[in-house]
Amino acid sequence: MSETTEQSEPQADVNPYQGFKFLRDHAPVTQLEADGPWQVARHADVHAILRDHETYSSEVSIRPPEERGAPSMLFSDPPVHHRLRRLVSVAFKPSQIAKQEQQIRQRCGDLLDAMPKDTELDLVQALAAPLPVMVIAEMLGVEDGDMATFKAWSDEIFSNIGEILFGTPSPESERAAEEMNAYFLQRINDIRRAPKDHLLGQLVETETEDGKLDDEELLSFCRLLLIAGNETTTGLITASARIFHEEPQTLGQLKEQPELAGSFVEEALRFYSPFSATVRRTSKDVEIAGQRIGAGELVVPLIASANRDERVFEAADTFRIDRNPNQHLGLGFGIHVCLGAHLARLEGKIVVEQMAQRYNSVSLANPQTATVGDLGGPKVLPIIVA
Ligand code: HEM
């Protein structure tokens, strides 16, 4: 994007980070079009929005309540949000997630074993998409034979998320959601007859002073995991490969010091944030960086831009494998901070550790056309591993 074009939006092109820098420096709060959402580019402002759930509501849908189905925690405010989050959070504690580690290592190893060396392959197809789907499928008790169908539902629902919230969902995504609901309803009924130990089994059983989750809430949570946990983790894996290409020394550093994998993942979440932006609705008149915004307007905190803000991060456009402190907002902040954060970190860590153990180089086949910065990341990423 040209730096002389005032107030133009960052292009969703090969690299949006120049555009984000322009916004931070010259137009930290901009409206994309008349009556459109306000995008917010600086770390301090994005942080303040995520922290203040009273002023910045997550109930953003414009669909009438009767069409929305059971509320999802991501798009609800307290007290509904607290009730839903309390009911499911026990299953996402580090001790619960640690139980999945062996299985994730095994799955990741199998997928890497199947990746040929010295020839071009699509990393999204080979590893970055299937691994997170397998992990979530496992948590929900989806059997291996149903995995392909589950992935197809997930893709259909995710590709239509904007329409689901703000407009009319496509017939394909409605159909995918209906089929998936029917599938999980059957599973939930099976679990009620014969309890299971996986996440869905625990959720069916969990009871707190808030009561139990009903069928609609359980189905809504299954959908939420697909939306929130799949493409984002895919994006973290493709971001890591891009970093191996751009900063080849990091592979060697990880080989020698595998304990750097954790801080590599934190820095990857900052540097190429897979959850690049979120959305809120103002509950009252506000002022952000001098810009007045009325009640009831949509605000889009640009997480990917906040994470490159040179006001907070020294050498913000440099990838530092051991950056510390690293106050990135890649997993959100406040009451909606990523519920799957431990899992996302664990998956990311296992992937980068195993890639560093196996390969001396990971290169992008077409670096000039590979996109960054879209929600989730690129849909295809041709790479060559050696
Ligand atoms: C690298 C991967 C991931 C990234 C970058 C990511 C990022 C985020 C972010 C930024 C939010 C807050 C959104 C907001 O405030 O509007 C969020 C929320 C959430 N994430 Fe993740 N996420 C990842 C992986 C996962 C995984 C693996 C799961 C579950 C299996 C998950 C489940 C959730 C849920 C349920 C929420 C909603 C929490 C709430 O509303 O209280 N995420 N995530």
Side-chain angles (χ1 to χ4, degrees):
M1 153 174 153
S2 152
E3 296 235 333
T4 54
T5 330
E6 287 230 338
Q7 309 236 332
S8 56
E9 91 188 77
Q11 304 291 300
D13 62 4
V14 172
N15 188 345
Y17 286 98
Q18 268 181 317
F20 288 153
K21 177 164 175 44
F22 175 80
L23 291 178
R24 286 193 304 273
D25 289 346
H26 304 288
V29 182
T30 43
Q31 198 169 21
L32 292 175
E33 56 198 62
D35 296 333
W38 294 87
Q39 54 182 11
V40 178
R42 287 188 188 152
H43 189 284
D45 299 325
V46 170
H47 185 247
I49 292 169
L50 297 181
R51 202 176 44 198
D52 181 357
H53 60 268
E54 286 179 2
T55 307
Y56 299 98
S57 164
S58 290
E59 289 187 8
V60 291
S61 179
I62 55 166
R63 301 186 74 194
E66 64 277 12
E67 281 182 22
R68 285 185 216 158
S72 127
M73 87 177 76
L74 185 56
F75 300 116
S76 59
D77 294 334
V80 174
H81 172 268
H82 285 347
R83 167 171 183 274
L84 295 173
R85 183 140 179 154
R86 253 201 311 264
L87 277 162
V88 300
S89 54
V90 62
F92 285 87
K93 286 204 312 218
S95 54
Q96 287 294 324
I97 297 302
K99 290 186 194 161
Q100 286 174 262
E101 177 162 352
Q102 260 330 94
Q103 187 73 13
I104 301 173
R105 281 192 189 280
Q106 181 69 44
R107 294 271 193 197
C108 181
D110 292 347
L111 291 167
L112 290 175
D113 282 345
M115 271 172 40
K117 285 190 179 174
D118 300 313
T119 183
E120 193 175 312
L121 63 99
D122 175 16
L123 182 70
V124 175
Q125 281 252 337
L127 174 74
L131 184 64
V133 174
M134 286 171 172
V135 172
I136 292 178
E138 204 122 18
M139 295 171 88
L140 296 176
V142 175
E143 277 140 32
D144 278 6
D146 297 330
M147 201 74 88
T149 318
F150 181 70
K151 166 91 176 89
W153 289 331
S154 154
D155 288 350
E156 197 52 69
I157 293 171
F158 188 85
S159 67
N160 212 246
I161 181 69
E163 293 306 308
I164 290 170
L165 281 173
F166 300 117
T168 316
S170 71
E172 292 78 20
S173 83
E174 297 256 35
R175 196 168 333 114
E178 272 166 29
E179 286 176 16
M180 201 175 80
N181 282 351
Y183 176 88
F184 279 116
L185 214 46
Q186 181 66 50
R187 287 283 168 289
I188 291 166
N189 286 332
D190 294 346
I191 291 168
R192 291 216 167 98
R193 279 194 298 274
K196 289 270 191 287
D197 195 28
H198 50 61
L199 171 95
L200 186 58
Q202 288 171 26
L203 294 184
V204 171
E205 292 300 311
T206 304
E207 184 159 14
T208 67
E209 67 271 24
D210 298 317
K212 281 190 169 196
L213 291 164
D214 64 29
D215 285 357
E216 269 303 305
E217 289 170 333
L218 286 165
L219 293 177
S220 163
F221 190 64
C222 293
R223 275 197 306 277
L224 174 60
L225 287 191
L226 290 184
I227 293 168
N230 256 341
E231 302 257 339
T232 45
T233 313
T234 301
L236 174 59
I237 297 171
T238 51
S240 302
R242 172 184 293 277
I243 292 160
F244 288 148
H245 169 89
E246 291 172 354
E247 306 289 336
Q249 77 287 357
T250 54
L251 261 187
Q253 288 173 297
L254 287 171
K255 254 187 226 302
E256 294 202 345
Q257 291 174 270
E259 66 278 10
L260 286 174
S263 62
F264 178 103
V265 168
E266 291 312 306
E267 181 69 340
L269 286 166
R270 180 188 79 83
F271 202 72
Y272 286 133
S273 310
F275 203 128
S276 49
T278 185
V279 62
R280 296 289 190 266
R281 192 181 289 285
T282 51
S283 63
K284 58 181 184 201
D285 293 354
V286 296
E287 192 172 310
I288 310 173
Q291 175 66 54
R292 294 171 73 91
I293 300 176
E297 304 245 3
L298 287 180
V299 172
V300 175
L302 296 173
I303 291 174
S305 169
N307 284 342
R308 292 285 191 105
D309 193 338
E310 36 299 278
R311 293 156 192 79
V312 172
F313 302 100
E314 200 186 283
D317 286 329
T318 303
F319 182 89
R320 286 190 178 161
I321 195 168
D322 54 356
R323 185 178 288 275
N324 184 17
N326 190 345
Q327 311 100 305
H328 71 77
L329 301 171
L331 294 164
F333 191 85
I335 64 167
H336 292 279
V337 70
C338 180
L339 178 70
H342 299 301
L343 180 59
R345 289 180 163 124
L346 180 64
E347 284 185 64
K349 213 165 85 97
I350 290 173
V351 168
V352 299
E353 269 172 24
Q354 293 199 358
M355 288 185 89
Q357 274 161 18
R358 283 167 189 245
Y359 307 129
N360 293 319
S361 75
V362 174
S363 329
L364 301 189
N366 311 309
Q368 59 297 359
T369 57
T371 55
V372 285
D374 290 346
L375 197 62
K379 305 293 164 245
V380 180
L381 192 68
I383 61 159
I384 299 169
V385 295

